[in-house]
Amino acid sequence: MSEAQISEIKTLLSSPKNIVIVPHKNPDGDAMGSTLGLYHYLKTYNHNAVVIAPNDYPEFLKWLPGDDMVVKFENQQEESKTLIENAEIIFTLDFNALHRAGDGLAKLIEGSTAMKIMIDHHQQPDDYAKYIYTDISMSSTCEMVYNFIEMLNDTDKIEATIATCLYVGIMTDTGSFRFPATTSKTHQVIGSLIDKGADNSEIHNKIFDTNSYSRLQLLGRAMQNLKVIPELRTAFISLSQDELDEFNFKKGDTEGFVNYALSLKDIIFAAIFIESQKDQIIKISLRSKGDFSVNEFSRAHFNGGGHTNAAGGRSEEDMQTTIDKFISILPTYKQDLSQ
Ligand code: 5GP
Ligand code: MN
């Protein structure tokens, strides 16, 4: 973002406005951390701000400061519509293509005359926003919200509440500070957030140590279903709707499962296929190590996208057909996958 744009935004935010902040559908830690972090920051200027999430998010995020103020479009459509109609500014965070907000909400945002500001770290941004802060080298949108506040010369406004929200997203999107996008600047931001009151150990416990017995049993089943294609350095997991039902699946329960596949020695490409009877799709999560781009793989074959090393996608075919398709595509990437 240019100096001129920053100063325009500063002017824009200098008097209270009606502001709507939107994360992507099926919000994760970075989506909720960044939107709520920005929400608390805007509140310090007495803006009339609100976070509208396209749909619900996992229980392990439901303690975030401001969680009780989040409007969920899925079951509060009329309220969301009014809020968007009255909005003067709409921030879209942690996504860069409007359809990622879900059909109904995307349409409302598209039709709104509010000033739109995008803050995001995914590849190939659309250009629906007047102000676009995009950087694919960033660990997380939360790190970018910190930078955004820094660009506005306002880091002294960051107190424990904002710090906690931003810490959550940086921690979850970096796999607890281990993915390659974690830089020394990321750690400096984290250090500053701890100084400002984020309780790192407690946050870690609240996000990761909330397993239910049934989730661990589901993990056990996922590990039994793990398949390895050693010559293509690929591993994948599947979970059918029946299996999810058997272990009382709740939103967020499969978060991180795919990383176990990627943790196998010598594996550089991992996938998990999860059946959703409700959406009539197989939801796919893809992860890689090194240069193999799961973003490109997903865009090319599974109607999705994301980052080089983490992407999502979907298939409208049944589980077996989807897995057969996946296996049949792999050899075309032999060059990249057998190195
Ligand atoms: P996950 O596998 O955790 O759902 O997603 C991994 C990453 O890819 C996340 O950063 C997520 O935002 C992104 N992602 C997931 N699904 C899609 C999609 O359909 N399109 C795009 N562009 N990104 C996605
Ligand atoms: Mn993110």
Side-chain angles (χ1 to χ4, degrees):
M1 233 180 223
S2 69
E3 290 278 328
Q5 287 182 317
I6 291 294
S7 106
E8 280 169 37
I9 291 175
K10 218 173 161 60
T11 309
L12 199 65
L13 294 178
S14 64
S15 60
K17 298 270 182 327
N18 294 331
I19 302 180
V20 166
I21 312 166
V22 182
H24 57 76
K25 194 170 175 192
N26 299 322
D28 57 7
D30 192 31
M32 289 321 300
S34 60
T35 50
L36 284 170
L38 181 67
Y39 163 84
H40 292 294
Y41 166 69
L42 294 171
K43 282 288 189 191
T44 68
Y45 280 101
N46 295 319
H47 291 294
N48 181 23
V50 62
V51 174
I52 304 181
N55 60 349
D56 204 5
Y57 41 87
E59 218 44 49
F60 66 78
L61 295 172
K62 292 214 169 143
W63 58 272
L64 278 171
D67 162 67
D68 50 333
M69 307 297 289
V70 175
V71 172
K72 288 172 198 125
F73 175 74
E74 193 174 45
N75 44 24
Q76 291 170 270
Q77 299 205 5
E78 279 311 310
E79 190 180 346
S80 304
K81 191 163 175 255
T82 309
L83 286 165
I84 290 176
E85 274 166 8
N86 293 332
E88 297 165 273
I89 303 173
I90 299 178
F91 280 91
T92 65
L93 264 54
D94 203 32
F95 66 100
N96 63 17
L98 279 185
H99 70 90
R100 297 268 294 131
D103 289 344
L105 186 53
K107 246 191 207 98
L108 288 179
I109 299 171
E110 199 171 11
S112 154
T113 53
M115 175 84 66
K116 288 164 200 138
I117 305 178
M118 176 206 297
I119 304 179
D120 179 67
H121 65 138
H122 294 88
Q123 308 203 0
Q124 294 155 266
D126 285 354
D127 69 349
Y128 59 82
K130 161 131 202 218
Y131 296 104
I132 296 182
Y133 174 28
T134 170
D135 186 346
I136 62 164
S137 74
M138 282 288 155
S139 71
S140 54
T141 301
C142 279
E143 185 174 341
M144 298 176 76
V145 169
Y146 182 95
N147 292 347
F148 180 71
I149 296 173
E150 195 173 49
M151 288 186 253
L152 295 170
N153 260 326
D154 262 346
T155 48
D156 53 356
K157 291 228 170 213
I158 300 179
E159 37 53 72
T161 311
I162 301 174
T164 300
C165 294
L166 298 184
Y167 188 102
V168 165
I170 299 176
M171 179 186 79
T172 53
D173 255 30
T174 58
S176 299
F177 319 110
R178 58 177 289 229
F179 297 150
T182 314
T183 61
S184 69
K185 175 74 197 311
T186 312
H187 282 284
Q188 282 161 20
V189 170
I190 282 294
S192 154
L193 295 176
I194 292 172
D195 287 343
K196 289 171 186 298
D199 186 335
N200 52 315
S201 183
E202 186 183 285
I203 292 172
H204 215 98
N205 288 341
K206 282 180 161 160
I207 295 285
F208 295 116
D209 295 347
T210 56
N211 275 317
S212 62
Y213 182 77
S214 60
R215 179 184 185 245
L216 291 185
Q217 296 285 298
L218 180 66
L219 173 62
R221 176 62 58 85
M223 293 306 101
Q224 285 174 336
N225 292 350
L226 174 64
K227 302 264 185 318
V228 184
I229 309 171
E231 66 280 14
L232 293 168
R233 303 182 69 181
T234 298
F236 66 91
I237 298 165
S238 62
L239 284 171
S240 67
Q241 185 69 58
D242 283 348
E243 288 172 311
L244 298 172
D245 294 345
E246 184 181 340
F247 297 107
N248 195 20
F249 168 80
K250 297 211 178 48
K251 212 178 200 44
D253 277 355
T254 55
E255 201 77 32
F257 283 12
V258 65
N259 294 323
Y260 287 95
L262 195 63
S263 74
L264 278 164
K265 189 169 185 302
D266 295 331
I267 291 301
I268 58 170
F269 182 27
I272 186 166
F273 300 91
I274 302 171
E275 186 179 9
S276 167
Q277 216 154 54
K278 177 170 148 261
D279 297 329
Q280 292 281 302
I281 58 165
I282 307 293
K283 166 90 185 84
I284 307 168
S285 284
L286 301 164
R287 301 290 185 267
S288 68
K289 284 185 175 158
D291 295 335
F292 181 67
S293 172
V294 289
N295 169 52
E296 282 167 26
F297 184 89
S298 187
R299 277 175 201 272
H301 307 291
F302 289 109
N303 207 11
H307 313 277
T308 302
N309 297 129
R314 51 157 62 205
S315 158
E316 265 137 39
E317 320 238 45
D318 66 22
M319 182 65 92
Q320 198 51 54
T321 314
T322 303
I323 290 176
D324 289 346
K325 174 179 168 183
F326 177 76
I327 293 172
S328 73
I329 294 164
L330 285 178
T332 46
Y333 294 90
K334 195 170 172 49
Q335 194 90 24
D336 305 315
L337 291 172
S338 51
Q339 290 172 24

